[in-house]
Amino acid sequence: MYLDTFSDSDWNIVSDSEMYTTVLFEEKSGGTRISIVTRFATNEQLDRAEAIGMIEGFTDAYDRLEEYLETLMGGKNTMETVISKDGTQIAYTKQGTGPAIILISSAAADYQDASPLAEHLSVNFTVYNYDRRGRGRSTDTSPYEIAREVEDIEALITVAGGQAYLFGSSSGAVLALEAANLLGDSVAKLFLYEPPFIINDSRKPVPSDYVEHLNGLIKAEKRSEAVEYFASEALGIPGEYIDYMKADPSWNKMESLAHTLAYDGIIMGTTQSGNPLPTGRWNVTIPTLVMTGENSEPLFHDAARALVELLPKAAAHSLAGQDHSAVIMAPDVVAKAIADSEQVRRVGA
């Protein structure tokens, strides 16, 4: 807590400009929330502070603090930003040379989770790895709509020169499908890793009120409970394993992204209900590679086969010895499958 004042250009204190300021550092979801509260003696003093740009000054200070903290955490890629159609700021990194490819993360993940994959892909591609809206350094705008997320991808495609490949993992693969369906020729090719469709009785379907329940937990600020609900109902993780997950540092990160879990539930829609895939949802005719891990659960293999049957230019590919975690645990294997597929396409062309 401290008493602050304004000064003129010669650093002389301006009379009647005292501000009583409290800075609160609060542990929150595995990080630190900083709150600055400034109290003024009169409304006139507050109006004057706003007029001279005090709010913008604090905002700039926060931005510079964020950039500084990233350097302390060892980040080597400077994030750039692009503004989506609804004004949402989308932060991304760019690295490598070659055809442009945009990485679309899964639920409860941000650009950092895909950074190793981006590193491997950068040998053959210009990689755009971004924070989806509401995550990391990207901002958010309510209410959520799938079309808005597609516009985020469209903005990145524009930055990339007007056309790009898309790679999506898990629910991010379904978002990539949605983008290809809506953006036409600007998406040249799709690489999808294990879209988590539940199309038969190979696994219990996701509850019909899944999104509503998640939103209720977030509204009540029960972020850990929301992650637990996501883990049990969407990921299908048995309850006895969830306590072990909570002990891992990754749980705190998922808590920080919990408010976006419902977004992926909206993207999945009814495709996790145990019924066959809808035949008219995606009109996607570009080359599409649907990858699965050899050791993954049957539902992912069933989903891949069903999607390949739906899309006219889709092919399936199994990664030996891998499972649903391959994007993070074996990024070199995933990158090689993508690069090999692209080489085959070029030779074939």
Side-chain angles (χ1 to χ4, degrees):
M1 300 178 67
Y2 61 94
L3 177 64
D4 204 357
T5 60
F6 286 117
S7 66
D8 61 20
S9 59
D10 295 322
W11 300 102
N12 298 309
I13 293 176
V14 176
S15 62
D16 196 31
S17 67
E18 291 81 8
M19 298 168 283
Y20 300 87
T21 302
T22 300
V23 183
L24 177 66
F25 297 85
E26 180 185 11
E27 184 176 355
K28 195 74 173 178
S29 300
T32 302
R33 173 184 289 171
I34 304 175
S35 303
I36 300 179
V37 179
T38 302
R39 294 178 174 86
F40 298 86
T42 65
N43 288 333
E44 289 75 17
Q45 289 182 12
L46 172 59
D47 292 341
R48 182 170 57 188
E50 290 182 337
I52 66 174
M54 184 175 177
I55 293 175
E56 291 79 3
F58 270 127
T59 301
D60 180 65
Y62 273 126
D63 289 342
R64 286 185 284 116
L65 174 61
E66 185 175 23
E67 293 172 2
Y68 176 64
L69 290 175
E70 284 186 349
T71 65
L72 295 182
M73 294 170 67
K76 65 178 181 179
N77 292 316
T78 300
M79 296 198 82
E80 303 177 56
T81 58
V82 64
I83 303 301
S84 195
K85 285 183 179 178
D86 68 347
T88 303
Q89 177 178 279
I90 302 301
Y92 67 94
T93 62
K94 175 186 175 182
Q95 61 188 119
T97 57
I101 185 169
I102 297 170
L103 308 187
I104 305 173
S105 61
S106 62
D110 61 13
Y111 92 98
Q112 292 178 328
D113 296 290
S115 291
L117 176 60
E119 189 74 28
H120 287 285
L121 285 172
S122 66
V123 176
N124 297 290
F125 300 92
T126 302
V127 186
Y128 294 81
N129 182 20
Y130 76 106
D131 275 332
R132 287 172 54 187
R133 60 173 53 208
R135 309 182 188 188
R137 290 193 61 186
S138 292
T139 61
D140 204 358
T141 305
S142 296
Y144 176 82
E145 293 181 29
I146 298 173
R148 303 292 82 76
E149 280 227 70
V150 172
E151 289 172 356
D152 301 343
I153 296 169
E154 183 179 23
L156 289 165
I157 291 175
T158 299
V159 170
Q163 191 177 63
Y165 301 156
L166 302 182
F167 169 85
S169 172
S170 196
S171 53
V174 186
L175 178 55
L177 263 176
E178 293 290 337
N181 185 57
L182 294 174
L183 299 180
D185 292 341
S186 63
V187 179
K189 190 171 183 179
L190 284 176
F191 299 95
L192 310 178
Y193 191 75
E194 295 198 345
F197 302 131
I198 303 174
I199 58 171
N200 51 36
D201 60 0
S202 61
R203 213 214 79 178
K204 181 183 74 171
V206 172
S208 59
D209 64 345
Y210 171 75
V211 170
E212 291 76 12
H213 190 75
L214 269 178
N215 282 330
L217 291 172
I218 294 302
K219 187 176 181 180
E221 297 190 1
K222 297 180 178 179
R223 302 181 76 88
S224 183
E225 289 90 336
V227 175
E228 184 172 348
Y229 185 69
F230 160 73
S232 62
E233 300 300 333
L235 300 183
I237 296 173
E240 59 267 27
Y241 293 112
I242 290 180
D243 284 339
Y244 294 103
M245 293 177 62
K246 288 181 177 179
D248 190 272
S250 62
W251 188 267
N252 290 332
K253 180 176 182 179
M254 287 193 289
E255 280 188 25
S256 72
L257 302 174
H259 58 285
T260 67
L261 292 174
Y263 299 175
D264 289 75
I266 293 171
I267 290 167
M268 296 307 301
T270 61
T271 63
Q272 295 184 308
S273 63
N275 297 314
L277 289 177
T279 56
R281 179 169 170 177
W282 304 292
N283 180 25
V284 176
T285 59
I286 59 175
T288 301
L289 182 67
V290 186
M291 295 172 280
T292 55
E294 178 188 27
N295 298 334
S296 292
E297 297 173 68
L299 79 95
F300 295 113
H301 298 279
D302 294 343
R305 284 191 291 268
L307 188 59
V308 168
E309 289 176 4
L310 274 182
L311 305 182
K313 292 186 179 180
H317 180 66
S318 179
L319 304 185
Q322 302 305 319
D323 57 25
H324 197 59
S325 66
V327 172
I328 294 176
M329 301 304 294
D332 56 328
V333 176
V334 177
K336 185 177 186 303
I338 293 172
D340 288 349
S341 171
E342 177 62 7
Q343 290 300 322
V344 168
R345 190 185 74 83
R346 287 177 180 173
V347 171

